Amino acid sequence: AQKVTQAQTEISVVEKEDVTLDCVYETRDTTYYLFWYKQPPSGELVFLIRRNSFDEQNEISGRYSWNFQKSTSSFNFTITASQVVDSAVYFCALRRTSGTYKYIFGTGTRLKVLA
Amino acid sequence: GAGVSQSPSNKVTEKGKDVELRCDPISGHTALYWYRQRLGQGLEFLIYFQGNSAPDKSGLPSDRFSAERTGESVSTLTIQRTQQEDSAVYLCASSETAQEHYEQYFGPGTRLTVT
């Protein structure tokens, strides 16, 4: 069975602080994809990143960075120098590379960045 | 170009009535997904369609739920004999294809309230 766990229900930080959102996944597949999505207060989910299991390189995009560690089945997301506009619910998701293409989402982490 | 659209944006119905929710994917996208998001919860996969292949219905919670898709365009999610537990936001997403790791584009959702 596949599962995604986001243990942090809600995090509050003060603007300019760094924050890390945790994501732990379970799968028996040897190949798979991992994703992060952002759901701002407006409601529409926005794609942030996709990572395939072949590639354990960390990725940085501006203030965002992702740390993928297969050994601990984790795909954590760090926001550096957080801003109020980063306030949203962030979802981690898992998908197989073959067979069924359904996405398994975590329960999300609500991030509040206070001015 | 136009994104994923869903209608209605809000629907209030009485317990026991049937409802139909509509999703218009991005033109040319062959994959279409339906999710349910209960208040404060994560995304729960319901069903996905990929081209002319048989849909993956493994996430439909009961036989009161069904979905159809006409070719590679519009999809409707039907809930029969609605129950209060069906109250949620129903999200639709489309992607170029399900097999590849193309990102999903989400619609704004339909908020369903069963009274």
Side-chain angles (χ1 to χ4, degrees):
Chain A
Q2 297 188 309
K3 185 178 178 182
V4 174
T5 301
Q6 294 180 256
Q8 303 153 307
T9 306
E10 185 169 313
I11 301 175
S12 292
V13 297
V14 176
E15 210 171 16
K16 298 184 184 176
E17 284 185 353
D18 298 348
V19 58
T20 295
L21 310 181
D22 297 334
C23 173
V24 174
Y25 61 93
E26 295 176 29
T27 181
R28 293 179 184 170
D29 295 341
T30 53
T31 61
Y32 46 88
Y33 293 113
L34 294 163
F35 303 80
W36 276 94
Y37 282 84
K38 174 182 180 180
Q39 187 175 38
S42 60
E44 280 191 47
L45 277 89
V46 175
F47 167 83
L48 294 178
I49 191 172
R50 176 195 65 249
R51 169 67 65 208
N52 74 48
S53 53
F54 293 105
D55 182 3
E56 287 195 66
Q57 276 193 336
N58 291 331
E59 182 154 343
I60 298 175
S61 176
R63 296 183 298 104
Y64 295 170
S65 63
W66 290 269
N67 183 351
F68 174 37
Q69 293 202 344
K70 242 177 159 176
S71 60
T72 56
S73 297
S74 65
F75 186 43
N76 297 338
F77 172 30
T78 297
I79 302 174
T80 302
S82 59
Q83 300 176 0
V84 173
V85 294
D86 296 327
S87 297
V89 181
Y90 292 86
F91 292 97
C92 180
L94 169 70
R95 206 207 80 173
R96 305 181 75 176
T97 58
S98 63
T100 179
Y101 300 112
K102 67 184 184 183
Y103 289 70
I104 306 300
F105 280 79
T107 51
T109 296
R110 180 177 300 277
L111 174 64
K112 292 184 177 179
V113 181
L114 308 172
Chain B
V4 177
S5 61
Q6 292 186 245
S7 60
S9 53
N10 278 286
K11 176 73 177 178
V12 180
T13 189
E14 290 181 356
K15 178 181 172 181
K17 295 283 180 68
D18 297 352
V19 295
E20 268 193 9
L21 312 179
R22 176 185 170 110
C23 172
D24 282 88
I26 292 173
S27 177
H29 281 192
T30 63
L32 187 147
Y33 294 77
W34 282 100
Y35 296 90
R36 178 169 71 180
Q37 186 176 26
R38 290 191 165 121
L39 186 63
Q41 302 295 312
L43 276 71
E44 179 185 359
F45 166 80
L46 297 177
I47 185 171
Y48 85 81
F49 298 88
Q50 169 57 56
N52 295 320
S53 302
D56 182 336
K57 305 178 180 181
S58 61
L60 295 177
S62 76
D63 58 9
R64 296 187 296 106
F65 288 72
S66 62
E68 292 184 350
R69 188 179 185 192
T70 308
E72 293 182 352
S73 60
V74 172
S75 175
T76 55
L77 176 69
T78 301
I79 308 174
Q80 297 179 311
R81 305 181 302 282
T82 52
Q83 304 293 314
Q84 289 186 330
E85 68 211 39
D86 299 333
S87 296
V89 175
Y90 289 83
L91 294 167
C92 174
S94 72
S95 65
E96 288 190 41
T97 177
Q99 287 93 337
E100 299 300 325
H101 46 69
Y102 295 109
E103 67 179 270
Q104 294 182 86
Y105 292 84
F106 281 82
T110 293
R111 182 176 299 279
L112 174 66
T113 303
V114 182
T115 60

